[in-house]
Amino acid sequence: MTQMFTDDDCGCYDLALSGESLLPTTNQIRREFLDYFVKNGHRERPSSSLVPAGDPTLLFTNAGMNQFKDVFLGREPRDYTRATTSQKCVRAGGKHNDLENVGRTARHHTFFEMLGNFSFGDYFKEDAIKFAWELIVDVWGLEVDRLWFTVFEGGDGIPADDEAAALWVKAGASPDRVLRFGKKDNFWSMGDTGPCGPCSEMHYFRGEDMAKNVAALVNGEGDDTMEIWNLVFMQYDRGADGVLTPLPAPSVDTGMGLERIASVLQTGSTNYDIDLFAPIMRKIAGESGYGYGGNMDDELDTAVRVLCDHARASSFLITDGVIPANEGRGYVLRRIIRRAIRFGRKLPKPVVLSNLVDAVIESMGSAYPDLGTRREAVLQTLTAEEERFSRTLSSGMERVGAVLDAIRSRGERILGGEELFRLYDTFGIPVDLIGEMAEEEGVTLDHEGFETMMAGAKAKAKASSKFQSSTDAATFAKVAEKTGPVEFVGYDRIVDVPSIVKAIVIAGKEQEAIHHGAEGEVVLSPTPFYAESGGQIGDAGTLEWDGGRASVLGTQKPVGDLIVSRVRVDEGHLSINMNVRASVPVPARLDTTANHTATHLLHKALKDVLGETVQQAGSLVAPDRLRFDYTYHQAPSEEQLRRVEEIVNDKIRENLEVTKTVMAIAEAKKTGAVAMFGEKYGENVRIVTAGDFSREFCGGCHVNRTGDIGLFKITSDRSLAAGVRRMEALTGRGALAYFQTIEDAAHEVQQQLNVRLEDLPAQLRTMQEKQKALEKELKQLKLKVAGGGTAVSSQTEDSIDIDGVKLLARRIDDVSGGDLRNLADTFRSKLKSGVVVLGSVTDGKVTLLTAVTKDLLDRVNANTLINKLAPIVGGKGGGKPDLAQAGGKDPDKLNAAIEHAAQALREVLGG
């Protein structure tokens, strides 16, 4: 590959392929891979979302096998045993945190595509290796003498994979090019327990000097020889005791980075030389005036690579419903965006990601049409986050400046690790920016202390991470194998449903019975109890049998489609294989169905009023209320909220028929049905349609006609996170009770004020205006008394002499910080020369203030004085040499702080 650069005014970058007609595009490579495996009996499956559905162990989808995890574990049956995919992946969090390497190496990415072929108990090593050799050598024509192959050498009681080594030689490899490595490189595990096995990798030497094409570079230093395909052979099951037992139906999971193989087939030097990055690089060149040079050590070229990668990662993450936030997936996205902004500022003209979205769509929109569909949402989210970070940088520079001033005023020259981490973590100020400002002021950064704080924060985040494995998953997986599919009948039957107890689990272990007063998890089939999913909470209810009764406390799906109810036995005992009568309370189910269908109507109404960029970001459907989280960049107006409410109630009054239809997922997508954020869908899906107004993927419980909802009322709408809002609403009986409560309160106020109901607003405004006037008058009186009023001479007599300096120390409660500063100015004016210390407690919070007249600044620093007093009230503070302020947590110690002012001033003067 050659890279061609122009010297025109925009620094336009052009990418040309030597022998362009002979080299495949990345889109062609993706298609050829999938077609090859389809021809060999594999089912082509679409890429799953970057947000793993139903898998709490993953932050992001990071491998092709993620969507097949339950298939490999035997929890989820499919009507095929071979599959092939091109899976979009993100590795930028958790153990796959390569973010800081992205842009600095030839092969690291946050976003990439992984090509894969999978066998679920069908073919094994021989066919997997045959397919790999045939595609790489015979179809794509890579030179055999540039290829290397690795297999597991054995260890820890696990035999060497001599079978794979022999199969590579049988396929055509020279024995000396089949290398053996240990567990670190050539053994794969899904987790601490479960499927695992040896893996075999294909490596490719892409250097120009064939003399360097040596075994030492395989899994060694540099990028000349790199892994291009990993074949995982799942042949063991690791038990809780660590013992490996052979799997009855071994499986295959392979992964090939699309960008890597494209760089090889397009003869590029790095992954960034492939055609997919060309439109983005051209846009960066046009925006910045800088043409990419391909230098791995050049800071500007690094910035271009960072922007290319992060533009793709952020566009795809937002398209899949991730929103910038301060935790979890949203925090990773925020870091990606802000890192791109920092690098974009290094170019001659700054470049931001929002200006690169269209280039990403040009590059990848044909393979992933959702990018174009969600373009406006991506643009709005990126623009809002970029503006927010710009404000953060502006305010952050002022904050850093104040911290540096305080350091220099103390005669110090080091910004401590704790304070540095606070600026970075709490205020989002990049460390390199802090370093630049500190260097200008002659202050150095305590990087070691910062790294210590960072390590502690990471450990804390890992300990509290939501993305942890369930300890009971293995138990319920075994239960699912024994019980088989659970029949859910709750759409149509919910009262006195005859059912059989299929399994009982207590404290993670299978048991034969639950005795009186005890609780446990129970598998029933058939069951009327809906398991929590799609935002709808799991059903509660009752079980009855001859001589016994139990309360169903909730219902979940711990693995796959296994429905499990949490049960407390109130009478008798509940045993395996017992016949029971299962019931869901009718009023609760009717209220739940009303709220669920109303959620669908609300979603569509929000799109109609606020625009198609609105996307569901979460929901809760309970009998007593509904909650709907949605993406939107600003607070809707009162008029917009009223219009949303009117649309939903209009559709309720129209009494639209609500139909539920099961169809193939591909067919469902063609109908325009809306899929929900974070949900996992199978081969067939259920579509819920309300007339011709709303159509969504949904497995939940719904009314038969919208009129059954009765009434809809929005009760609140607030910001949940940047770009995400939370709306709460009531329907039916809940909405009626809400209006009755408001009516009762209004009548009570009406009676107390003795005015007509319609006159209440005007009467309240009059009362509020009178109260404000009285509060203003009271405040003025307080300040007059505090400032001395007419007794000016008595106020100056309150000051005491400390080593020739007048000190006035007073406590004045219920005064704001601003008023306290005004008082300090008044007292300084009266003293002419002196020091003022004021303290106040307002709403349980302590404020301390120190002020120094200008003639004494060479003897007394207000910052130094406040830092001697603030610890007494459990606080800390700072400010300027003539005026400093501190907050405190201990109001009971304020008098002690005021009394200590004289001694503190002596210490300052003596120092």
Side-chain angles (χ1 to χ4, degrees):
M1 170 180 283
T2 60
Q3 291 171 335
M4 296 171 57
F5 309 92
T6 65
D7 295 322
D8 59 14
D9 292 339
C10 70
C12 184
Y13 166 92
D14 191 15
L15 182 70
L17 300 177
S18 301
E20 187 170 355
S21 62
L22 301 177
L23 297 178
T25 67
T26 307
N27 285 335
Q28 289 171 337
I29 294 168
R30 183 194 299 112
R31 188 69 262 155
E32 286 174 356
F33 180 94
L34 297 172
D35 287 347
Y36 172 82
F37 282 101
V38 169
K39 183 182 70 174
N40 283 283
H42 293 65
R43 178 80 61 85
E44 181 181 340
R45 301 296 303 138
S47 171
S48 62
S49 169
L50 287 170
V51 178
D55 189 346
T57 68
L58 286 176
L59 192 64
F60 296 113
T61 298
N62 58 28
M65 64 80 59
N66 291 161
Q67 66 168 300
F68 301 115
K69 182 176 179 180
D70 285 343
V71 183
F72 282 121
L73 291 171
R75 301 172 185 169
E76 183 182 326
R78 296 281 176 96
D79 64 351
Y80 51 86
T81 57
R82 299 181 177 195
T84 184
T85 64
S86 180
Q87 174 65 51
K88 51 190 178 183
C89 300
V90 163
R91 291 184 180 177
K95 68 178 181 179
H96 293 296
N97 190 4
D98 288 337
L99 186 57
E100 293 307 317
N101 289 324
V102 172
R104 300 192 182 281
T105 71
R107 56 186 175 83
H108 281 101
H109 297 288
T110 51
F111 173 87
F112 62 97
E113 290 182 76
M114 185 173 286
L115 303 171
N117 59 290
F118 310 91
S119 165
F120 312 118
D122 189 328
Y123 63 83
F124 199 43
K125 294 181 185 179
E126 183 167 8
D127 281 345
I129 288 174
K130 183 189 74 172
F131 289 148
W133 179 276
E134 185 176 277
L135 179 61
I136 288 291
V137 177
D138 298 338
V139 177
W140 283 338
L142 293 189
E143 301 170 58
V144 174
D145 59 0
R146 287 181 176 269
L147 291 171
W148 296 88
F149 311 88
T150 68
V151 298
F152 180 52
E153 68 181 3
D156 295 339
I158 308 171
D161 195 358
D162 295 328
E163 180 186 5
L167 287 170
W168 281 118
V169 174
K170 179 181 177 181
S174 172
D176 63 341
R177 302 191 76 81
V178 180
L179 309 178
R180 296 170 184 268
F181 290 88
K183 291 180 70 174
K184 175 178 176 294
D185 296 301
N186 281 85
F187 197 88
W188 179 89
S189 298
M190 187 174 288
D192 294 333
T193 61
C196 59
C199 57
S200 184
E201 297 175 343
M202 299 182 75
H203 294 249
Y204 183 80
F205 176 74
R206 61 180 181 183
E208 295 181 2
D209 184 358
M210 291 297 286
K212 296 180 179 179
N213 182 15
V214 295
L217 291 184
V218 178
N219 289 327
E221 294 184 358
D223 294 315
D224 278 351
T225 300
M226 67 175 183
E227 173 204 335
I228 57 172
W229 205 345
N230 187 15
L231 284 61
V232 176
F233 305 125
M234 299 184 196
Q235 65 184 86
Y236 302 111
D237 181 20
R238 189 193 304 276
D241 57 1
V243 175
L244 302 184
T245 56
L247 286 171
S251 298
V252 173
D253 155 31
T254 85
M256 173 195 290
L258 175 61
E259 290 80 2
R260 285 197 189 185
I261 193 62
S263 72
V264 170
L265 294 175
Q266 295 176 9
T267 65
S269 299
T270 74
N271 289 6
Y272 292 93
D273 295 327
I274 67 175
D275 60 323
L276 281 186
F277 289 106
I280 309 173
M281 287 189 173
R282 282 196 296 268
K283 182 64 176 176
I284 293 171
E287 291 282 327
S288 68
Y290 175 76
Y292 179 63
N295 188 334
M296 298 306 299
D297 299 319
D298 184 85
E299 193 66 15
L300 295 184
D301 283 348
T302 296
V304 173
R305 289 188 291 269
V306 167
L307 288 166
C308 281
D309 176 273
H310 291 7
R312 298 203 313 164
S314 56
S315 295
F316 274 93
L317 284 170
I318 297 168
T319 294
D320 279 359
V322 182
I323 297 295
N326 288 328
E327 62 180 11
R329 299 180 179 105
Y331 179 62
V332 176
L333 173 59
R334 173 161 286 166
R335 286 186 62 206
I336 289 171
I337 296 171
R338 294 188 169 188
R339 184 171 186 261
I341 294 172
R342 285 164 44 211
F343 276 89
R345 291 161 63 102
K346 297 175 184 288
L347 295 171
K349 296 177 184 175
V351 177
V352 292
L353 295 183
S354 56
N355 290 342
L356 304 179
V357 171
D358 287 336
V360 173
I361 295 172
E362 178 188 347
S363 170
M364 307 196 68
S366 60
Y368 297 98
D370 285 353
L371 282 172
T373 304
R374 295 277 294 152
R375 175 181 178 275
E376 290 304 316
V378 174
L379 283 172
Q380 287 183 7
T381 303
L382 285 175
T383 300
E385 183 66 15
E386 286 160 355
E387 291 174 351
R388 187 176 295 108
F389 189 48
S390 178
R391 292 193 296 271
T392 296
L393 288 179
S394 297
S395 61
M397 292 175 74
E398 294 180 9
R399 195 177 299 274
V400 173
V403 169
L404 295 175
D405 285 344
I407 290 172
R408 288 188 292 107
S409 70
R410 296 193 299 266
E412 300 172 0
R413 285 293 178 266
I414 297 176
L415 175 52
E418 183 176 354
E419 181 67 21
L420 177 58
F421 181 76
R422 187 178 73 88
L423 291 169
Y424 167 80
D425 188 58
T426 303
F427 302 109
I429 309 168
V431 175
D432 54 358
L433 178 62
I434 299 172
E436 291 172 8
M437 296 181 65
E439 185 178 0
E440 292 174 1
E441 300 295 331
V443 175
T444 59
L445 305 186
D446 176 15
H447 287 287
E448 185 176 343
F450 173 80
E451 292 300 333
T452 300
M453 295 294 296
M454 178 69 82
K458 286 180 178 178
K460 183 178 178 181
K462 182 178 180 181
S464 62
S465 173
K466 294 185 288 186
F467 305 99
Q468 300 293 321
S469 301
S470 167
T471 55
D472 295 335
T475 299
F476 284 117
K478 293 178 181 178
V479 169
E481 290 178 11
K482 292 180 181 179
T483 62
V486 172
E487 182 186 3
F488 174 68
V489 298
Y491 292 136
D492 307 307
R493 293 186 290 151
I494 61 172
V495 177
D496 289 335
V497 175
S499 186
I500 300 173
V501 177
K502 294 289 188 178
I504 293 174
V505 175
I506 301 176
K509 295 182 179 180
E510 292 186 65
Q511 302 290 347
E512 291 296 316
I514 306 176
H515 299 290
H516 178 259
E519 294 184 11
E521 275 77 36
V522 174
V523 178
L524 302 165
S525 188
T527 179
F529 300 112
Y530 181 84
E532 179 176 339
S533 63
Q536 182 176 325
I537 67 170
D539 277 335
T542 59
L543 299 178
E544 294 180 333
W545 61 94
D546 293 342
R549 187 177 189 279
S551 298
V552 175
L553 308 177
T555 306
Q556 300 281 337
K557 281 186 180 179
V559 294
D561 290 325
L562 182 70
I563 299 175
V564 179
S565 293
R566 180 75 180 175
V567 168
R568 181 188 67 234
V569 175
D570 301 318
E571 298 176 24
H573 69 275
L574 186 65
S575 302
I576 292 286
N577 297 323
M578 183 177 283
N579 292 303
V580 298
R581 298 181 302 279
S583 298
V584 178
V586 174
R589 172 54 67 82
L590 292 177
D591 290 343
T592 299
T593 58
N595 282 333
H596 205 153
T597 305
T599 300
H600 286 212
L601 301 181
L602 172 60
H603 190 188
K604 182 60 167 61
L606 282 167
K607 285 180 176 287
D608 287 351
V609 174
L610 302 181
E612 285 296 323
T613 59
V614 167
Q615 184 178 19
Q616 180 174 339
S619 67
L620 172 71
V621 177
D624 60 332
R625 71 194 191 283
L626 69 88
R627 188 179 72 208
F628 189 80
D629 299 340
Y630 64 100
T631 59
Y632 198 57
H633 59 284
Q634 63 187 36
S637 66
E638 289 296 325
E639 293 77 10
Q640 288 173 321
L641 291 177
R642 181 65 59 88
R643 182 60 189 139
V644 168
E645 198 171 75
E646 288 172 349
I647 290 174
V648 175
N649 281 297
D650 285 346
K651 298 305 172 184
I652 291 172
R653 286 191 295 273
E654 289 177 24
N655 200 25
L656 303 172
E657 182 181 8
V658 179
T659 60
K660 303 92 177 178
T661 309
V662 176
M663 63 181 72
I665 190 168
E667 181 184 350
K669 289 180 177 179
K670 292 177 183 177
T671 69
V674 179
M676 293 299 100
F677 171 77
E679 287 300 307
K680 182 178 181 180
Y681 300 105
E683 297 296 302
N684 294 310
V685 294
R686 185 168 177 260
I687 303 299
V688 176
T689 304
D692 60 357
F693 179 69
S694 168
R695 180 179 288 106
E696 294 190 6
F697 288 49
C698 187
C701 302
H702 289 269
V703 299
N704 292 321
R705 303 194 75 91
T706 57
D708 299 340
I709 299 171
L711 180 65
F712 173 83
K713 176 61 186 172
I714 297 172
T715 57
S716 69
D717 181 82
R718 62 183 177 85
S719 173
L720 183 63
V724 182
R725 302 195 63 79
R726 170 164 290 176
M727 184 176 288
E728 299 197 42
L730 300 169
T731 68
R733 295 191 303 163
L736 178 60
Y738 174 82
F739 285 121
Q740 289 172 335
T741 300
I742 291 176
E743 185 178 38
D744 291 344
H747 279 305
E748 183 177 343
V749 174
Q750 177 191 5
Q751 290 173 357
Q752 289 181 358
L753 297 180
N754 194 28
V755 296
R756 294 182 304 170
L757 190 61
E758 56 267 32
D759 294 334
L760 271 179
Q763 180 70 12
L764 287 173
R765 282 194 294 271
T766 300
M767 293 174 65
Q768 288 173 335
E769 290 169 0
K770 288 182 179 178
Q771 182 178 352
K772 286 180 181 177
L774 289 171
E775 288 175 349
K776 183 177 180 181
E777 185 177 346
L778 178 61
K779 178 181 177 181
Q780 290 172 341
L781 288 171
K782 277 186 177 182
L783 292 176
K784 186 174 182 181
V785 171
T790 55
V792 177
S793 59
S794 66
Q795 297 301 316
T796 47
E797 289 173 3
D798 282 349
S799 65
I800 59 176
D801 186 281
I802 304 295
D803 295 342
V805 175
K806 291 179 184 178
L807 169 67
L808 180 62
R810 297 191 59 178
R811 172 173 177 161
I812 308 160
D813 285 340
D814 298 319
V815 176
S816 69
D819 290 334
L820 212 59
R821 287 191 291 272
N822 291 335
L823 276 175
D825 289 339
T826 299
F827 285 132
R828 279 193 293 191
S829 170
K830 290 177 180 179
L831 288 173
K832 306 295 184 187
S833 175
V835 175
V836 178
V837 176
L838 301 179
S840 177
V841 176
T842 305
D843 297 329
K845 296 180 181 179
V846 180
T847 302
L848 269 173
L849 186 142
T850 56
V852 181
T853 55
K854 291 183 178 180
D855 64 306
L856 295 174
L857 290 178
D858 58 338
R859 299 184 63 191
V860 182
N861 186 302
N863 261 316
T864 306
L865 184 57
I866 200 74
N867 284 317
K868 288 182 176 291
L869 301 176
I872 299 174
V873 293
K876 57 183 178 179
K880 299 178 181 179
D882 65 328
L883 184 67
Q885 186 172 319
K889 304 174 183 177
D890 196 343
D892 295 335
K893 298 290 181 64
L894 179 57
N895 286 340
I898 297 296
E899 292 170 3
H900 186 66
Q903 178 59 32
L905 180 56
R906 285 192 189 94
E907 293 173 3
V908 173
L909 290 168

